[in-house]
Every structure is written in structure tokens, then in C-alpha cells.
């Protein structure tokens, strides 16, 4: 006779997933926060007006929102959510590589 398997290892898994999702969303928020905090130095360096910077920022956030809707409409339900999160996290991480390299 086989012994019943214990579910103690799976007991904390939902909380671990929740914690990782929270961390991912927190980093995502801070990534966007830096854009606003660096507004004045970027405007001075690029020689753009506050209106031009606002247009750039609005375009960025509009594209971010549209891409979220498109992923929701066309990807969710066709792939396992686990792989969607892995792919999105990988894309986000690759996009951040340039931000950690020194500027020349």
C-alpha cells in the first residue's frame, strides 16, 4: 500500500506566487516612477519643453496600456498563464539591461 502524499509543499505555493507577482508589479511601478522623477534632467539635457515631454510620456503610457489590452485579448486563454508571465518578465528584463549599463 502506498502512503498518501502530503500537500504541505503546495500549501505555501499560492502565497509564493502572490509574493512574486507583488514584487513584479512593485518593480514595474517604480520603473514608471523613475520616468517622472527624471523629467527635469531629461528635459534640460534634450532641450525639450514640458509640453513635448508630456507628449512623450503620454505616448509611452498609451502604448503600454494598448499593449496590455492586446496581450489580454489575444494571448490570455491561448497559452498557460505561467508561460505568459515568464515571457513578459523576460521581455521586461531584457529591456532593462540597457538602463543598468554605464552611459558613455
Amino acid at each position: 500500500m502506498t502512503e498518501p502524499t502530503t500537500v504541505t509543499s503546495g500549501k505555501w505555493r499560492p502565497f509564493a506566487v502572490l509574493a512574486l507577482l507583488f514584487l513584479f508589479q512593485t518593480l514595474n511601478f517604480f520603473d514608471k516612477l523613475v520616468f517622472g522623477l527624471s523629467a527635469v534632467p531629461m528635459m534640460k539635457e534634450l532641450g525639450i519643453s514640458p509640453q513635448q515631454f508630456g507628449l512623450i510620456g503620454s505616448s509611452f503610457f498609451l502604448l503600454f496600456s494598448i499593449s496590455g489590452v492586446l496581450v489580454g485579448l489575444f494571448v490570455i486563454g491561448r497559452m498557460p498563464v505561467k508561460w505568459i508571465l515568464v515571457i513578459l518578465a523576460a521581455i521586461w528584463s531584457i529591456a532593462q539591461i540597457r538602463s543598468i549599463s554605464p552611459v558613455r
Side-chain angles (χ1 to χ4, degrees), residues 7-72:
V7 291
T8 55
S9 62
K11 181 180 178 181
W12 294 102
R13 185 173 182 175
F15 296 108
V17 170
L18 180 64
L20 289 173
L21 286 172
F22 177 77
L23 178 66
F24 182 67
Q25 285 301 107
T26 303
L27 291 174
N28 190 18
F29 171 76
F30 284 126
D31 185 43
K32 288 172 189 47
L33 181 69
V34 168
F35 186 73
L37 293 175
S38 62
V40 174
M42 284 189 342
M43 287 189 299
K44 286 180 182 177
E45 186 173 327
L46 297 173
I48 59 176
S49 68
Q51 292 82 11
Q52 291 170 322
F53 184 80
L55 182 62
I56 293 168
S58 297
S59 301
F60 170 75
F61 291 118
L62 179 65
L63 179 62
F64 184 81
S65 300
I66 290 172
S67 66
V69 169
L70 291 176
V71 167

